[in-house]
Amino acid sequence: MNVNTELPLEQNLPSLFSARTILHNYQYLIVLFKATFTKTENTVLVKGDHEPIYIPAKNSQQHHQIVFANGYFASALHEIAHWCIAGKKRRLLEDYGYWYSPDGRDVKQQTEFEKVEVKPQAIEWAFSCAAGKPFTVSTDNLNGVAADTQAFQVAVKQQVIYYLDWGFPPRAAEFIRVLQAFYQTDDIHREMFDVESV
């Protein structure tokens, strides 16, 4: 696939559509994100090699960077979701100024982790639906205390329903529309978020 991230989206569309045999390639997200937000928000989506991180620009000649893990499509959607929630001041701080307790969390740390992950995972779920990709909640604690994945999934679903009723954050709503247009998916609706279908 030949995708030039320096070209406008319209000039890349023939390359993207001809390569759509691999429907959920992270390079599509990089191009779509750039076309949607780089000029207006001075932000780019970047494939990282390891852990995801948000890196604010150090000067006016740089872009803010949303770095996602290892070329994973779902990681890119998840990191975009965090960015869509972060306010202007937080977007000037590395990783939005949030703490991150790595895998291996105890009960208290896991509870805190899940509280801050409900909104980004709800948005990621909506992005996944807009891209026609299955979604699975992530408690991201393989080496720690066993998490109640089902309860967390219900909390994420409740947040999605809230967003459907009251509106997604503006940048999230815009990227949902972009994904729907590119992947030619239906408008998102409640039935897409049946917990049994995840």
Side-chain angles (χ1 to χ4, degrees):
M1 175 178 66
N2 247 350
V3 175
N4 182 343
T5 59
E6 298 303 313
L7 292 176
L9 176 63
E10 297 76 26
Q11 292 179 21
N12 268 307
L13 283 177
S15 295
L16 292 174
F17 280 112
S18 66
R20 282 184 74 192
T21 54
I22 303 171
L23 285 175
H24 298 105
N25 188 312
Y26 73 85
Q27 291 175 312
Y28 299 166
L29 296 178
I30 289 172
V31 172
L32 294 169
F33 187 90
K34 180 178 181 177
T36 309
F37 296 116
T38 298
K39 283 185 181 175
T40 59
E41 301 291 340
N42 191 38
T43 305
V44 293
L45 182 64
V46 178
K47 176 195 170 282
D49 293 325
H50 302 292
E51 290 296 315
I53 189 168
Y54 174 78
I55 305 168
K58 291 180 175 63
N59 60 56
S60 61
Q61 281 72 45
Q62 293 182 334
H63 294 300
H64 307 295
Q65 296 180 41
I66 302 169
V67 181
F68 63 98
N70 302 308
Y72 295 130
F73 191 90
S75 175
L77 293 181
H78 184 76
E79 297 311 313
I80 294 168
H82 274 288
W83 177 80
C84 287
I85 293 169
K88 278 191 176 199
K89 289 182 181 178
R90 286 221 176 256
R91 293 195 313 268
L92 297 176
L93 304 172
E94 185 172 297
D95 252 358
Y96 315 107
Y98 290 118
W99 61 272
Y100 178 74
S101 184
D103 190 359
R105 292 180 290 276
D106 62 26
V107 174
K108 183 179 178 188
Q109 291 169 323
Q110 185 62 24
T111 300
E112 288 304 309
F113 172 84
E114 290 178 12
K115 282 182 191 174
V116 300
E117 279 293 309
V118 168
K119 287 181 180 180
Q121 289 202 32
I123 291 171
E124 179 190 350
W125 195 352
F127 287 165
S128 296
C129 287
K133 181 154 178 58
F135 171 79
T136 304
V137 297
S138 174
T139 55
D140 193 27
N141 200 27
L142 299 174
N143 297 312
V145 66
D148 184 353
T149 305
Q150 191 160 6
F152 181 56
Q153 189 166 292
V154 169
V156 172
K157 178 182 177 177
Q158 288 171 340
Q159 184 64 50
V160 171
I161 299 304
Y162 176 86
Y163 284 144
L164 287 171
D165 290 345
W166 297 99
F168 283 86
R171 291 187 310 276
E174 186 173 359
F175 203 59
I176 288 168
R177 288 189 296 272
V178 167
L179 291 169
Q180 288 172 317
F182 180 73
Y183 285 101
Q184 300 174 354
T185 56
D186 295 333
D187 288 342
I188 57 176
H189 50 85
R190 285 176 183 254
E191 290 76 21
M192 292 176 162
F193 302 97
D194 289 341
V195 173
E196 298 75 30
S197 67
V198 176

